[in-house]
Amino acid sequence: MPRFAANLSMLFTEVPFLDRFERAAQAGFEAVEFLFPYAHTVEEIKERLDATGLQIVLHNLPAGDWDAGERGIACDPQRVDEFRAGVAKAVSYAHALGVPQLNCLAGKAPAGVDAAVLRRTFVENLRFAAAALKMAKLRLLIEPINPFDIPGFYLNRTDQAIAILDEVGADNAFVQYDIYHAQRVEGELAATLQKNLARIAHVQLADNPGRNEPGTGEINYPFLFAHLDRIGYAGWVGCEYKPAQGTEAGLGWLEKLAGKKALAPA
């Protein structure tokens, strides 16, 4: 059965961010991921890791002004210097916190910019980031995101992501495959995972419609969990979903669908 990491940007939001580490550990998770650590110091986060024994398996590179609606800057030709400074910041956090991989959000395509310029900017930024991360012994990920949730997002499909990675040509750059986004854009989940397994370093989940916990929608998660085992996926599966009725109340899917018993909160 896959190993599951709690996404602390989406789960346990009933409490402040730093308190979510303890909630995740109490619920039985051994690992966590989240969008960004940068609102907190390394020392604040490390204190929570040391107290809970959790490991962080993923966070993102800085992605612009998130609160203002930005969802990444990697394809924006006017933000290259900002992007590259963000790479250095992310690497420093990852090293201090023992994070093995960083996700790069492509961002929304700026209006009026030629498609060739967008692609060239994205590819060149990824080459820069991959080189910096390789020196730090880290993996770089890129994530296709559906254009219904984020209209205008530059990277939408698995085949598009792989073609871009082929152009980047870095052996430490991989796809972050989000089952929810993939279902909304392309379907063919099992076949796509199997075909591209060697190019996928991280998987995330949520059900569709609603982006709630597994078992609330149309995706056959028991089949997919068994399928990930059959094809030999060895990475983590990030639980990046919106709890339908509170985090702890919705954790029953772990036992029902995945055979992993969630612990009751202390």
Side-chain angles (χ1 to χ4, degrees), residues 8 17-25 32 34 48-49 54:
L8 300 187
F17 177 76
L18 291 174
D19 295 336
R20 297 172 198 171
F21 290 84
E22 183 178 4
R23 290 288 187 97
V32 297
F34 39 79
R48 303 306 171 112
L49 294 178
L54 291 166

Side-chain angles (χ1 to χ4, degrees), residues 105-224:
L105 293 170
K108 302 174 187 176
V113 180
D114 183 79
V117 174
L118 292 173
R119 186 180 180 101
R120 183 170 64 249
T121 301
F122 190 37
V123 167
E124 290 177 354
N125 275 336
L126 290 176
R127 284 176 178 157
F128 174 88
L133 268 62
K134 187 167 186 175
M135 289 182 63
K137 296 182 170 56
L138 302 172
R139 289 187 297 271
L140 174 68
L141 309 182
I142 60 172
E143 179 185 10
I145 291 178
N146 81 77
F148 308 106
D149 286 17
I150 306 181
F153 196 81
Y154 179 71
L155 185 64
N156 305 129
R157 297 180 57 88
T158 306
D159 54 2
Q160 179 193 8
I162 289 174
I164 286 170
L165 290 178
D166 285 345
E167 188 172 346
V168 172
D171 62 6
N172 66 324
F174 297 88
V175 174
Q176 176 171 306
Y177 186 87
D178 188 304
I179 293 170
Y180 166 75
H181 291 304
Q183 173 70 356
R184 296 211 67 187
V185 175
E186 59 194 22
E188 287 292 318
L189 302 172
T192 303
L193 283 163
Q194 185 166 3
K195 176 184 176 183
N196 300 296
L197 180 65
R199 310 297 297 274
I200 295 170
H202 192 65
V203 172
Q204 292 179 320
L205 62 73
D207 219 327
N208 183 61
R211 202 176 183 179
N212 303 131
E213 54 263 40
T216 58
E218 66 187 355
I219 300 175
N220 186 347
Y221 270 108
F223 171 82
L224 282 181

Side-chain angles (χ1 to χ4, degrees), residues 52-70:
T52 59
L54 291 166
Q55 59 179 303
I56 303 172
V57 299
L58 174 80
H59 66 73
N60 293 339
L61 300 179
D65 190 341
W66 195 263
D67 291 339
E70 292 184 341

